[in-house]
Amino acid sequence: MPSRSKLSGSRKYVYFPHDREGEQQQQKQQGISDLPKDVIDKLLKTTGREALREKTPNLQELEQALQGAVQSMSEGREGDQQQKKGSQSGTKEEAGDDMPLVRKLMQKGYLKDSPKWLSGKGFVSIGGKILDDVMKALKAGDYGMHETRDYGQGSIVLDTNKKYEPGDDIRLLNVPKSLLNTIQRTSKGGGVKLPLQIDIEDFEEYETMRDVRVAVVYCIDLSSTMRYSSMYGDMSRIEAAKRALWSLYLLNRKFFPSDSVYVVGFGALASKVLPQDIPYLKTFEPGTDFLHYTNYQAAFRLASKILQKDGAENKRIVLVTDGHPSACFIDEKGEQDKILSQRPYSHFYTPNKDTLDTVKQNQDMELDIASGELVYLCYRYRQVDQYIGERTFVEAKKCHSMKIDIDTIMISEEDSLLGYVNEMEKYVKGRSYYINPADIDKVLLTDYLKNKRQQMLRARSY
């Protein structure tokens, strides 16, 4: 019998022949939402891990990884041989043996058919799971974390209460606590009397605190050595750093939305990175374009430009690096001549249009050449070139004079780096940390939360 569907806004009916094949396909698609939660969680965690790889896999390679994850779930189920067989069969049906897993995640809105295949929903969902894992490791309760509720400009709603005063914002009313006060007051002589006789004296409201906005630029080193293994896990330094920044961005968005978090990637030159592009960051390949050198000055200049446009009261740069500076800008021709007179074989580099276009195409990064184009390159094993070191100090001091704090997180064991960075931080009264690369996610989140707490306590004391 023909099926019929009513046209919206019309009394006419349109008849269609019964489409059994289409109905079966629709049922399959509806079954996507019926995937067990543990299967979905496993697929999303695997997707996140694949997105963080130094070389982003294509969708076909992602499909293979997802199939392997589901298979490992099947093989890991407990029970006797018969139960295990049934479990494996059930897992295949649940995961959709008749439909590619990538297609399923696309249907649910987590993926898209693109080289950067994470959708907005996928970026937030997977980043949230990474954040949850990190916060569990940090015992988030120790920080008194709760999702931020903002009422009015510059106010944060706290968990503590105070008596309601006529004229206060009614949206701040703590309804459960106010009702409990009414019940306790009216039930002294026996049971609860309904309807409740609410009195304004029963009202309590949440306390608020002035929110001091913080703007932070995380400058992530994209020099070639960042692709090395962390030695403490299966992730490279760049992969561990990307995981940390991904979770940090979601932390900011969820708990401190009034703050600003920016990301800058840098080698010999720097580039602003969009949050959704964090998983796709790549290190620069060693080669004729020389972008794989480390230019702190480029990072500081671009970061300070970003912060100057932000209206936050507290501005901060956090440098994440595994190597000492090996490049700086040459701002005047006289500087280049002076270096050449002392070191005739010194190397200088200016990126050409082909290089800029290639980086734009392959890494989707707009290199900042407005801060400087001519770069002096000098890598010295376990040493910092004197000229590069001095110019980097000068740039850090400029940031400090603009009331921008600079802290450095080092993921290297080189004594030369430790000594140089510690000396630089003395100039800007900042802090430097040497960390285990495997702990970078916990270190960045802890550092962010402690800094935010200090700002909030400072605001509360005013």
Side-chain angles (χ1 to χ4, degrees):
M1 183 175 178
S3 61
R4 62 185 183 180
S5 63
K6 189 174 182 179
L7 293 175
S8 176
S10 173
R11 295 188 179 184
K12 296 181 181 180
Y13 288 87
V14 181
Y15 291 81
F16 298 98
H18 189 66
D19 185 357
R20 185 174 300 276
E21 183 178 346
E23 183 179 292
Q24 291 175 344
Q25 182 66 24
Q26 184 178 13
Q27 290 174 350
K28 288 180 181 179
Q29 293 180 5
Q30 289 174 345
I32 295 170
S33 61
D34 297 331
L35 283 174
K37 185 178 183 301
D38 63 334
V39 174
I40 294 178
D41 287 346
K42 183 69 173 180
L43 292 178
L44 292 181
K45 285 186 177 182
T46 302
T47 300
R49 179 64 188 88
E50 293 299 309
L52 288 170
R53 292 195 182 281
E54 168 74 7
K55 182 180 179 182
T56 307
N58 57 36
L59 288 174
Q60 185 177 1
E61 293 167 332
L62 176 62
E63 176 68 29
Q64 295 173 353
L66 294 178
Q67 293 287 356
V70 171
Q71 181 64 27
S72 67
M73 284 189 70
S74 173
E75 293 174 352
R77 294 185 184 272
E78 299 178 352
D80 58 26
Q81 191 65 25
Q82 185 64 33
Q83 289 175 324
K84 187 175 181 181
K85 288 181 180 179
S87 173
Q88 288 176 333
S89 174
T91 302
K92 288 182 179 179
E93 290 179 5
E94 292 163 352
D97 191 48
D98 54 349
M99 182 185 294
L101 296 173
V102 165
R103 179 83 56 82
K104 280 184 170 293
L105 293 180
M106 284 183 177
Q107 293 280 3
K108 290 185 71 67
Y110 294 110
L111 301 179
K112 58 185 179 181
D113 189 4
S114 169
K116 294 182 178 181
W117 30 255
L118 278 177
S119 66
K121 177 182 177 180
F123 176 81
V124 172
S125 298
I126 295 171
K129 291 184 179 299
I130 295 173
L131 174 62
D132 288 344
D133 290 343
V134 181
M135 294 302 286
K136 287 176 184 176
L138 291 176
K139 296 181 180 179
D142 294 344
Y143 291 92
M145 298 295 293
H146 58 83
E147 291 197 41
T148 301
R149 293 161 290 176
D150 295 306
Y151 291 95
Q153 186 173 4
S155 294
I156 290 181
V157 181
L158 305 176
D159 286 333
T160 54
N161 301 308
K162 68 174 184 177
K163 282 291 183 181
Y164 173 81
E165 297 179 12
D168 287 350
D169 193 337
I170 195 68
R171 294 176 300 173
L172 295 172
L173 198 65
N174 185 338
V175 176
K177 187 68 170 67
S178 300
L179 290 175
L180 181 60
N181 290 341
T182 299
I183 293 172
Q184 290 174 339
R185 176 178 55 80
T186 58
S187 62
K188 291 180 179 178
V192 177
K193 298 178 182 179
L194 297 175
L196 292 175
Q197 299 297 317
I198 300 177
D199 190 284
I200 194 170
E201 291 298 320
D202 299 327
F203 286 178
E204 289 194 31
E205 62 179 324
Y206 291 108
E207 288 188 299
T208 61
M209 179 177 62
R210 187 170 70 91
D211 180 21
V212 179
R213 286 193 59 233
V214 177
V216 189
V217 180
Y218 289 89
C219 298
I220 177 69
D221 188 348
L222 299 181
S223 61
S224 55
T225 54
M226 285 288 286
R227 71 184 60 180
Y228 294 167
S229 169
S230 69
M231 299 183 293
Y232 299 96
D234 62 344
M235 302 183 81
S236 67
R237 294 172 180 174
I238 183 62
E239 289 169 350
K242 291 192 296 182
R243 185 178 188 272
L245 291 173
W246 194 352
S247 60
L248 182 64
Y249 175 76
L250 267 296
L251 174 82
N252 163 252
R253 172 172 167 162
K254 184 175 183 180
F255 296 107
F256 306 104
S258 63
D259 287 354
S260 301
V261 168
Y262 305 97
V263 177
V264 164
F266 73 98
L269 296 172
S271 175
K272 185 177 179 180
V273 178
L274 297 175
Q276 60 267 28
D277 287 339
I278 290 172
Y280 308 106
L281 279 171
K282 300 175 184 176
T283 57
F284 292 113
E285 293 281 350
T288 55
D289 59 20
F290 300 104
L291 291 174
H292 59 285
Y293 279 70
T294 306
N295 188 348
Y296 288 12
Q297 194 182 31
F300 292 156
R301 285 189 179 181
L302 182 54
S304 62
K305 284 182 183 179
I306 294 171
L307 290 173
Q308 282 179 295
K309 295 178 181 179
D310 193 290
E313 297 178 45
N314 295 274
K315 297 179 173 67
R316 186 168 174 244
I317 294 172
V318 178
L319 189 73
V320 182
T321 182
D322 74 334
H324 58 253
S326 55
C328 71
F329 289 122
I330 298 296
D331 295 320
E332 299 177 4
K333 183 68 166 58
E335 295 179 16
Q336 182 180 12
D337 295 339
K338 182 179 179 180
I339 294 172
L340 285 173
S341 66
Q342 297 173 351
R343 306 167 191 165
Y345 301 103
S346 296
H347 188 66
F348 300 87
Y349 168 68
T350 300
N352 56 34
K353 185 178 183 302
D354 288 342
T355 297
L356 298 176
D357 291 343
T358 299
V359 173
K360 170 64 176 174
Q361 181 178 354
N362 294 342
Q363 297 182 239
D364 200 17
M365 295 177 66
E366 294 275 3
L367 292 175
D368 172 37
I369 57 173
S371 296
E373 287 190 67
L374 181 60
V375 182
Y376 169 49
L377 308 172
C378 184
Y379 174 78
R380 296 175 180 271
Y381 181 67
R382 292 186 175 275
Q383 295 183 48
V384 179
D385 176 79
Q386 183 178 355
Y387 182 81
I388 292 175
E390 290 174 353
R391 300 314 301 168
T392 303
F393 281 169
V394 168
E395 202 65 46
K397 288 179 183 178
K398 285 182 182 178
C399 293
H400 185 60
S401 68
M402 292 184 281
K403 297 183 178 180
I404 299 174
D405 295 330
I406 298 178
D407 295 324
T408 306
I409 294 177
M410 299 167 286
I411 43 180
S412 170
E413 296 178 351
E414 289 187 20
D415 293 338
S416 61
L417 174 61
L418 297 175
Y420 178 81
V421 169
N422 288 336
E423 186 68 21
M424 181 181 72
E425 294 298 348
K426 290 180 183 178
Y427 282 99
V428 297
K429 299 180 181 179
R431 296 167 295 178
S432 56
Y433 309 91
Y434 164 67
I435 66 166
N436 176 334
D439 292 332
I440 188 171
D441 49 7
K442 294 185 281 293
V443 171
L444 282 185
L445 264 67
T446 300
D447 172 72
Y448 179 88
L449 291 170
K450 285 184 176 179
N451 183 72
K452 182 62 180 178
R453 172 179 280 180
Q454 289 172 357
Q455 300 297 341
M456 292 172 70
L457 291 174
R458 196 175 301 162
R460 199 171 190 174
S461 63
Y462 291 152

